[in-house]
Amino acid sequence: MLVGQRLNLTAFCAVLNALPNVAPSMVRALAPGIAAFLREDYPAMLAEEENGLLPALRRRLLLGDDLDQVIDQLIDEHQRDRLQAISLANRCEEVANGVDDDDLLTLCAGLRSFAEHQRRHLAWEDATILPLAQVRLTADDLARWHRAMHRRN
């Protein structure tokens, strides 16, 4: 499920990156869906990492893994990203209701910046967190996480 969420975020970022190249009417048409993703799907993915993956991994860290600080930094980034996602969702809703094209360009630039940050964040997790999680998490950890994930969704 987490892999699916990460793939969805990657595809979402590709859409955001392409927005400056489409007609303003298309951006307005997509804006409600973008806002919904930023308000619902995106926070759910972050919550899954913070309530599932990261605590499970933190429990399995060994002396010398030195990932506590990385995990803390990821959680801090998640907080900032949540706030930015809410702000962008609000702006998307305004655009859907007919804001002028200058504000549309500003929104597209903000969404593109958000997308680039997300791609870097995913790459950082792919390089630091996920490889160690594959090695450290046990079958019991994964089964427990799977059950908790289904309760949350």
Side-chain angles (χ1 to χ4, degrees):
M1 187 169 181
L2 184 63
V3 170
Q5 289 173 332
R6 293 169 68 80
L7 289 174
N8 283 343
L9 180 58
T10 300
F12 179 73
C13 288
V15 169
L16 296 183
N17 197 44
L19 285 178
N21 302 319
V22 301
S25 60
M26 178 65 82
V27 175
R28 282 193 186 91
L30 292 171
I34 292 169
F37 185 93
L38 291 169
R39 285 193 192 284
E40 298 164 21
D41 298 324
Y42 181 70
M45 186 188 86
L46 296 182
E48 197 52 57
E49 289 182 12
E50 292 171 358
N51 297 321
L53 174 64
L54 297 177
L57 180 58
R58 198 184 293 266
R59 286 190 300 273
R60 295 294 180 198
L61 292 179
L62 301 175
L63 185 64
D65 284 339
D66 295 327
L67 273 188
D68 279 317
Q69 188 175 18
V70 170
I71 291 170
D72 291 341
Q73 186 173 348
L74 284 170
I75 292 170
D76 287 346
E77 277 192 25
H78 288 173
Q79 293 294 18
R80 287 189 301 272
D81 293 347
R82 273 187 187 91
L83 294 174
Q84 186 180 20
I86 290 167
S87 175
L88 289 168
N90 291 340
R91 291 172 62 200
C92 283
E93 289 165 352
E94 291 170 358
V95 162
N97 293 325
V99 175
D100 69 349
D101 288 346
D102 289 338
D103 288 339
L104 195 64
L105 295 174
T106 302
L107 172 63
C108 287
L111 290 168
R112 194 171 196 178
S113 175
F114 180 81
E116 181 57 33
H117 175 74
Q118 294 309 304
R119 282 193 293 274
R120 284 193 312 268
H121 185 91
L122 289 171
W124 186 37
E125 288 176 338
D126 288 346
T128 59
I129 297 295
L130 297 182
L132 195 58
Q134 288 177 324
V135 174
R136 295 282 192 273
L137 295 181
T138 66
D140 287 341
D141 293 330
L142 296 175
R144 201 171 314 120
W145 180 18
H146 181 76
R147 287 189 301 274
M149 191 182 315
H150 283 287
R151 282 192 304 273
R152 283 189 287 275
N153 293 311

